[in-house]
Amino acid sequence: MNTRSLTGWLLIGGPILTFVVVGVLYTQLIGDQETAASSVKEMMAKPELARLLIGIGSLVFVSMLLGLTLFARTLRGDDKPGGGYADVATIIFAGVSALAIAATGLSGGALEASKLSETIAVNIEAVSQALFGALWFFMGVGFLLIGTAMILQKRLHVALAGFYIAFGAFVIIGSLYDLNLADTVGLVVWIGMTVAVAATGLLHLKEE
């Protein structure tokens, strides 16, 4: 499998499986992780299943981020409009991938720590959730930069690039300000992101 094929399939499989594993299975079978304390209690109720879903969820989520990292690399180049934006996006998504690995790893660590002390487990889970806050902010910046580079290079489809910019701006604003949006709004945005990233992978595979 060459790099373009790998990038395409990571972009297709990563977001779809993330939505299924994290958005559907984990939420329905374990809980919605509203707070660090409730998250730990939910994991403690079904530790084996929680451990399995955390591991799979981490793998597929990081796969999506690595796909975006590789896709951003294809937009780089001093001879390409917006190549500088793509350079920065590549670095950001590589860093976000590392943050995701750390954050999900801490959730797994919180589950293990709960065997000894629920209080320690909650503190570890709180750090994990704090890392996810930083992750979403920089993920928004990355989407904004990729979308801008795509528009400048007329890459793939302008509507897709426009969504990347809009999604990136929404995530950045939502990370800085409490928008008090209904859960259904967040779900719709997540589904939109899933479709957009998967469509990017599909179109990337079809590129000449």
Side-chain angles (χ1 to χ4, degrees):
M1 180 180 290
N2 59 33
T3 303
R4 188 171 78 171
S5 295
L6 177 62
T7 302
W9 287 113
L10 287 174
L11 290 173
I12 294 170
I16 293 173
L17 291 174
T18 296
F19 182 79
V20 171
V21 175
V22 180
V24 178
L25 295 179
Y26 195 95
T27 300
Q28 295 300 317
L29 299 177
I30 305 299
D32 54 13
Q33 300 175 294
E34 284 291 333
T35 65
S38 65
S39 178
V40 169
K41 287 185 181 297
E42 290 160 0
M43 290 190 291
M44 289 174 66
K46 300 177 181 177
E48 296 303 324
L49 182 58
R51 186 177 295 108
L52 176 64
L53 291 177
I54 288 171
I56 297 174
S58 175
L59 179 63
V60 294
F61 182 50
V62 171
S63 294
M64 180 189 75
L65 296 174
L66 292 176
L68 288 165
T69 303
L70 292 172
F71 178 68
R73 286 182 59 195
T74 69
L75 301 168
R76 297 171 61 187
D78 292 337
D79 59 332
K80 296 180 180 180
Y85 298 134
D87 283 335
V88 178
T90 301
I91 297 169
I92 286 176
F93 275 112
V96 168
S97 298
L99 273 178
I101 293 170
T104 53
L106 282 170
S107 284
L111 179 57
E112 290 299 314
S114 68
K115 298 175 182 178
L116 300 176
S117 169
E118 186 174 336
T119 300
I120 293 175
V122 170
N123 290 334
I124 295 173
E125 182 64 10
V127 175
S128 171
Q129 293 190 357
L131 285 178
F132 269 111
L135 182 154
W136 285 115
F137 175 78
F138 284 103
M139 187 171 165
V141 174
F143 268 94
L144 187 63
L145 292 171
I146 285 182
T148 302
M150 288 170 67
I151 284 183
L152 292 174
Q153 296 178 24
K154 297 180 173 60
R155 184 78 178 273
L156 301 183
H157 197 288
V158 64
L160 192 58
F163 179 86
Y164 271 56
I165 292 173
F167 175 76
F170 174 82
V171 172
I172 292 170
I173 294 171
S175 297
L176 297 175
Y177 302 98
D178 187 0
L179 300 178
N180 291 317
L181 298 174
D183 290 343
T184 51
V185 175
L187 180 62
V188 169
V189 172
W190 189 358
I191 292 173
M193 185 271 289
T194 299
V195 172
V197 175
T200 301
L202 183 61
L203 293 174
H204 183 60
L205 288 174
K206 291 182 175 181
E207 278 187 309
E208 295 294 335

